[in-house]
Amino acid sequence: MTAWTDAGTPVVVQGLKVRALLADLLVHEGRPVPADRLMDDLWGSDLPGNPAGTLSAKVSQLRRAFEDAEPGSRALVQSGPAGYSIAVESATYDALRFHELLSCGAVDDALKLWRGPAYADFADSAFVETAVARLTDQRLSACERADLSVAELSDLVRAHPLREGLRVAQMKALYRAGRQSEALESFDSLRELLLEELGLDPGPEVVALQQSILQQDLPRARSNLPAPVTELIGRSDAVADVDACLASSRLVTLTGPGGVGKTRLALAAASAAAERFADGVVLVELAAITPSTLSVSNALTDAVQAALNLRDTGEAGAVVDRLAAVMGSRLLVLDNCEQVVEEVAVLTDRLLAVAPGLRVLATSREPLGLAGEVVWTVPPLAIPEVAAEPDVVRECSAVQLFVTRAAAASRGFALNAETIADVAVLCRRLDGIPLALELAATRVRALGVRGLVARLDDRFRLLATGHRGAAPRQQTLHAMIDWSWELLDQAEQSVLRRLAVHADGCTAEAAAAVCGEDDVLDVLVRLVDRSLVVPVDGGRFRLLESVAAYCIDKLRAAGELESVRQRHLSYYVSVAEAAQLFGGEQSRWLQLLDDDTGNFRTALDRAVATGQLELAERLVDALAWYWFLRGRHVEALRSLEAVPGSARAGVWRAGYMYLLGRPEAAAERDRWVDAADALGQWWIAYAASDAGDLPACLSLLDKALKRFEADGNQWGIGAVLAARAKHAHVRADLPALYDDACQSITIFRALGDRWGVLQATSWFGAHAELVGDFAEAERLHLEGLAAAEELGLWPEVANELGMLGWTSIRQGRYEAAQKYGERAVRLATEQGQRSTQALAEIVLAFAARRTGALDEASERLQALIDFARQQQEAVLYLSLVLEELGFVRELQGRPEDALELHMEAFQVSEEFESLRGMCWALEGIAACHPDKALAAVLLGCAAATRASENYLMAATEIEDLDRAVAAASGHDEAYRRGAELGPAEAFALLVRQ
C-alpha cells in the first residue's frame, strides 16, 4: 500500500497492521478515531498482550514511514484526547479529490484517479465496508455519466446487472453504434432480472429510452451551431476561459449588457468544446418566447424538442422526463434566456438533475440563479486609455473590431495617423460594446470616423440601422436597449432612468439620494443581475454611456429630468462639504472624492448654468483644497472663475494664479486678501512664496498664525510653520528652518495629516542638505516620495523627485540627478506644477553643466530666466539660476556676460535677504572680474560670511571657487581686508567702480 505526503512524495508503508492502521485512519477522513476502536478494528478478539502499547508502536512506525519519505511529514499522523487521526485534504487524498471532481462535473478526471477497487487489501474488513460501498457507488454513478465505450459499459453491466443507470448508458452506447437490436435485448434482460429477483418493473427513464429506441427518435450526435459569418475578434482568452468553465461545471451562464457579444461568445465556446460531447452540441434560441406566451413552459420544451429534431409526445411534464432520458453526453446552448428566465431556470434544473451527462451553456442578461451555476460576465472589448500611445491603441480589441468591420464596409479605410485618435475616442464613447462598434462601422463610408465622433451625442439616430441578417433587437442600438428596458418592472425603470444623471457612476447612498428613495440597493442588485447596471470596484455602480443616453430620454419623457438633476446637485454639494481633508481622514476622503470627480464637475456645471451661484460657491470652496492636493490646478482655476463675484473663491483663485505663474496673480491677491480668513491668508502666502513679495508673505503668515492660535486650529498652526520653514530655507536661516520644521511635523503627526507630514519632512531634508548631511537628506526625501506615491499626491511626488535630484547634484551623482530630474519634469508638467517644474529644470541644468553639456545647460537656464523676468515680482529661484548661467558663460569664455549675470544674482539675493545667495554671487563675480585685487576682496568677504553663518561649501562647488581663488592669488592683503566687510559693503565697491 502506497500513500503520499503533502508535497506528493510516495510513502511505502511496510507491515500489514501498519497499513491497516493507515486505512482505518483514512476512511475517517481526518476525524479522530478512539484507540479502543482502532484496536478492535485491527485485532478484533485476537488482541496482543499489550494492546495500547502495540497500537502506539504501530502509530510510531506509520509516522516514521512518512518522515522517511519527507522530513516533517510525521506530523500528518496526529493524536489527541479523542484518539488518533490523519491530516488529509483533496490534494493528498484521492477519495476527497474524487468527490471534489464529481461535484464540479469533471467526471473523466475523477475516474482517472481509480487504480483498482477501493481499499483492496482490506476489502473483507468491517471497518472499511461502509467507505468501500460509498466509493464504489460513486464510481458507478460517474461511469454512468462518463463517455465510455460499449465494451467498458457492457463489462460494468455484467458486474452490476440490476443497476439501471449503467443499463441506460449501455443501451444508448449500443444505439449510437448502430446496434439497436442489442440495445433492446439489454432492456429485455434487465426487465427479466428485475422481475425474477425483485419483483419490479424497470424505471420510467429506462422505459422512455426503450420507446425512443423503438421509434428511432433518440437523437444522435449532432450540432446545429450556425457557421460564423465573420471572425470573432478580441475574445480568444474569453473562449478559453468559458471552455475551462464548461469542463469543470455543468451550468455556465454568460451574462452582460445587450450587444456585448454573449451569443457570439457562447457559440464560439460551444464550438471549441464540441468534441467533448459524444451526443453533440445543440443551440436552442429562446428570444421568440415571451412572458405573454400562452404556456411558457410548453413553449420552452417545444423549442428544445425542435432543436433536437424530436417529435412532440404529449404533456410538458412527460416531455421533460423524455428530454432528460435522451440527452446523453450533450451540451445544450440556451440563448437569450432573460425574457423568461424563471421558467428557463426550472426547466434547466430538472434536466440537469435527471440527465447526468448534460451540460448547459446559457446566455442571459441575468443569472438563472441555480445551485452550482457559474456566472461568467462577458466584459466589453478592451478600449484605449485617454492619451494612450498609438501602439497601445492598436492592440485594444475594441479598436481591432471596429477597424476590421469599418474596412469591410468602406474599402480603403485604415487605422493611421489621421484616424487613430478619432477611432480611440469612438471606442471609448461606445464603451467597447461590440454591437455598437459594428453598427458604427457601417457608417464610416458615409460619414468618416471624425463625422461619427461628432454625431455620437445623437447616437440612437446615428446607429439606427445595421446588418439585415441580425435579429430585430440587434439591428439598432435603441432596439437593443429597448429589449432590456421592457423586461423591467416600474421600480426598476424608475431607478435606472434616474441613475443616468450621474457621471462615472455612484455609490448606493448617492443613488438613493438622487433617486429620492430611502434605499435602492435591492433594486440596484436586480439591475446588476439584468446587466443594465455595471458594478465597479469600491461598491460603486455605473451605466454604460449608451444606456445612460437612453435613460436621459426616458427621464425627459417622464418629466423628471430637472428635479433629478437638482437632487444630484444638492447631494454632491453636501458630499464635498462633508469631506475631511485636513487630518487623519485625508487619505480616505481623497479616494472618495476621486471616485466622484465627474459628478462634482456635472454638479458645478448645472449650478452655474442655472444661476445657482450660492451652491456653485459652496462647491468650489469645498473642493479647492482637494484640487490642490491632487495637483489639478488648471481645473481648479477654471472652476473658481465660474463664480467671479465670490470672495471665498477669489482667495483660492489668487493662490492658484500664483501656482500657475499667471502675471495677474498679484492683482487678484490685492483684490481679495482683505476679505480672507486665516486659511485664506495662509493659502495666499503659501502659494505666492515661489513668486512673490516675501516680506508680504511673511506678514500674512504671521497674521494667519495669530488667528489660528486664537481659534485653536492646530492644522493651521502646522501649515504656517511649514510655510515659514520655506522662508527660512530661502534665507538659509538654519536654526529657524529646523525649529519650524520640527514643530510642524509634531503637529501634523498628531493630527494624522499626511500632506502636512510630507511638507515638514521635505524641509527637514532641505535642512540636512544645507548642513551637509546628504545621506540623511536623501533618506528623508525618499521617505517622502514613497508616502506621496502611496497617497497619490502627485504634486508632492514631483517635488520630492526634484529635491532628490538636487541632493544628488550636491553629492556629485549627476547621472542619478538626471534621472530624478527627468521624472520630476515629466510629472510636474502633467500636474501643472510650475515651481516644481522649475526645480526639476534646475537639477537638469546643473547636471548638464557639470557633465560638460554647456549648451544644454545654457538653454535650460535661459528659459527659466526668461520666464522669471516675465513675472511682476521676483521669482525665488532666479538668483540661483543667474549664478549657474554665469558659471556657464565663464566656462564658455564669455566673462563680460558672466559678470553681468552674477551681479544681477547678488541684487536678487539681497532682495530676498539670502546671505548664502550673496556669497555665491560674490564668488562668481570674483571668478570673472578683471580686477583680481578686487576679486580677492570679494572672496575674503564671502569666506568670512560663510564661516560666520556656518554655510557649507559642498565638494561639487569647490571647483568653481578654486578657479576664482587661483585667479586672485597673490592678493593676500586684499583678501584679509574683504573678510572685514559685509556682503553689501563688498558689493558696493563694484558699484563705485
Side-chain angles (χ1 to χ4, degrees), residues 134-170:
R134 172 173 53 82
L135 289 169
T136 301
D137 183 70
Q138 289 177 351
R139 181 185 188 185
L140 292 175
S141 296
C143 290
E144 294 166 4
R145 297 161 55 185
D147 185 19
L148 301 181
S149 67
V150 171
E152 290 172 314
L153 287 168
S154 296
D155 288 344
L156 288 168
V157 166
R158 280 191 292 272
H160 306 278
L162 297 178
R163 192 175 179 97
E164 293 191 9
L166 287 175
R167 189 75 66 163
V168 166
Q170 182 208 30

Side-chain angles (χ1 to χ4, degrees), residues 259-584:
V260 80
K262 298 184 294 295
T263 298
R264 188 74 174 83
L265 176 58
L267 295 177
S271 178
E275 293 184 359
R276 298 204 300 270
F277 297 93
D279 294 309
V281 179
V282 175
L283 169 66
V284 184
E285 172 56 63
L286 304 179
I289 304 175
T290 67
S292 61
T293 301
L294 188 61
S295 172
V296 173
S297 59
N298 285 341
L300 289 174
T301 54
D302 289 347
V304 177
Q305 287 186 101
L308 290 166
N309 282 337
L310 293 177
R311 291 188 293 274
D312 191 356
T313 59
E315 295 299 322
V319 171
V320 173
D321 291 336
R322 180 166 171 268
L323 287 174
V326 302
M327 280 299 170
S329 173
R330 192 183 307 276
L331 175 62
L332 202 60
V333 182
L334 303 178
D335 191 30
N336 294 299
C337 302
E338 57 269 356
Q339 286 198 111
V340 287
V341 66
E342 293 183 4
E343 292 84 355
V344 172
V346 171
L347 174 61
T348 302
D349 195 31
R350 292 184 61 186
L351 289 175
L352 289 172
V354 183
L358 174 66
R359 301 213 170 193
V360 175
L361 176 60
T363 74
S364 176
R365 298 188 189 179
E366 62 178 298
L368 302 189
L370 296 177
E373 177 184 26
V374 173
V375 179
W376 202 93
T377 302
V378 181
L381 295 175
I383 58 176
E385 298 287 340
V386 176
E389 294 295 325
D391 289 345
V392 176
V393 173
R394 289 187 178 90
E395 291 299 316
C396 291
S397 52
V399 172
Q400 294 173 354
L401 175 66
F402 176 80
V403 170
T404 301
R405 301 295 188 259
S410 176
R411 187 179 300 274
F413 174 81
L415 188 68
N416 52 38
E418 294 181 2
T419 60
I420 192 168
D422 290 323
V423 169
V425 171
L426 182 79
C427 292
R428 284 196 298 271
R429 294 287 307 278
L430 292 178
D431 295 302
I433 300 295
L435 174 61
L437 293 169
E438 297 204 9
L439 293 175
T442 65
R443 291 285 188 263
V444 169
R445 184 177 180 182
L447 299 173
V449 182
R450 185 154 298 176
L452 281 172
V453 172
R455 290 168 174 81
L456 275 180
D457 287 337
D458 195 11
R459 66 184 63 198
F460 295 119
R461 282 178 51 195
L462 173 67
L463 309 180
T465 59
H467 300 290
R468 292 188 181 90
R473 70 184 184 281
Q474 294 178 339
Q475 288 186 9
T476 75
L477 191 60
H478 198 279
M480 177 191 76
I481 303 174
D482 260 337
W483 171 269
S484 297
W485 177 266
E486 296 302 328
L487 300 179
L488 304 179
D489 61 30
Q490 187 173 352
E492 292 164 346
Q493 289 179 348
S494 175
V495 169
L496 183 63
R497 66 175 178 257
R498 293 171 184 176
L499 287 176
V501 300
H502 291 92
D504 295 333
C506 63
T507 62
E509 293 78 10
V514 174
C515 291
E517 306 284 346
D518 291 336
D519 186 5
V520 296
L521 185 57
D522 288 342
V523 178
L524 283 172
V525 171
R526 295 203 300 272
L527 291 172
V528 169
D529 286 343
R530 287 158 175 76
S531 301
L532 285 165
V533 170
V534 180
V536 185
D537 290 343
R540 294 176 62 82
F541 304 87
R542 65 179 286 264
L543 303 184
L544 297 178
E545 189 171 335
S546 295
V547 176
Y550 176 93
C551 290
I552 288 292
D553 289 342
K554 290 293 184 182
L555 261 183
R556 188 176 287 109
E560 298 177 345
L561 183 58
E562 292 306 312
S563 61
V564 175
R565 281 177 169 169
Q566 189 62 30
R567 286 201 295 269
H568 178 276
L569 167 59
S570 299
Y571 175 77
Y572 282 100
V573 170
S574 68
V575 170
E577 291 182 328
Q580 299 176 34
L581 295 175
F582 302 94

Side-chain angles (χ1 to χ4, degrees), residues 15-39:
L16 182 63
K17 291 301 181 183
V18 179
R19 293 200 299 275
L21 170 63
L22 174 59
D24 206 345
L25 294 176
L26 286 173
V27 299
H28 287 85
E29 298 181 350
R31 300 183 300 276
V33 188
D36 291 345
R37 171 72 180 272
L38 288 172
M39 288 184 283

Side-chain angles (χ1 to χ4, degrees), residues 51-95:
T54 305
L55 176 62
S56 179
K58 300 302 179 187
V59 170
S60 296
Q61 292 175 38
L62 180 59
R63 286 173 171 160
R64 186 161 52 251
F66 277 102
E67 187 70 19
D68 290 343
E70 182 181 317
S73 61
R74 66 180 292 112
L76 293 172
V77 182
Q78 302 166 356
S79 61
Y84 294 98
S85 63
I86 188 167
V88 293
E89 55 184 31
S90 61
T92 57
Y93 184 35
D94 284 349

Side-chain angles (χ1 to χ4, degrees), residues 782-807:
L782 283 171
E783 179 184 309
L785 175 64
E789 288 178 329
E790 181 185 346
L791 283 171
L793 298 178
W794 304 117
E796 301 307 320
V797 171
N799 182 70
E800 292 301 329
L801 287 169
M803 295 299 286
L804 282 165
W806 178 248
T807 303

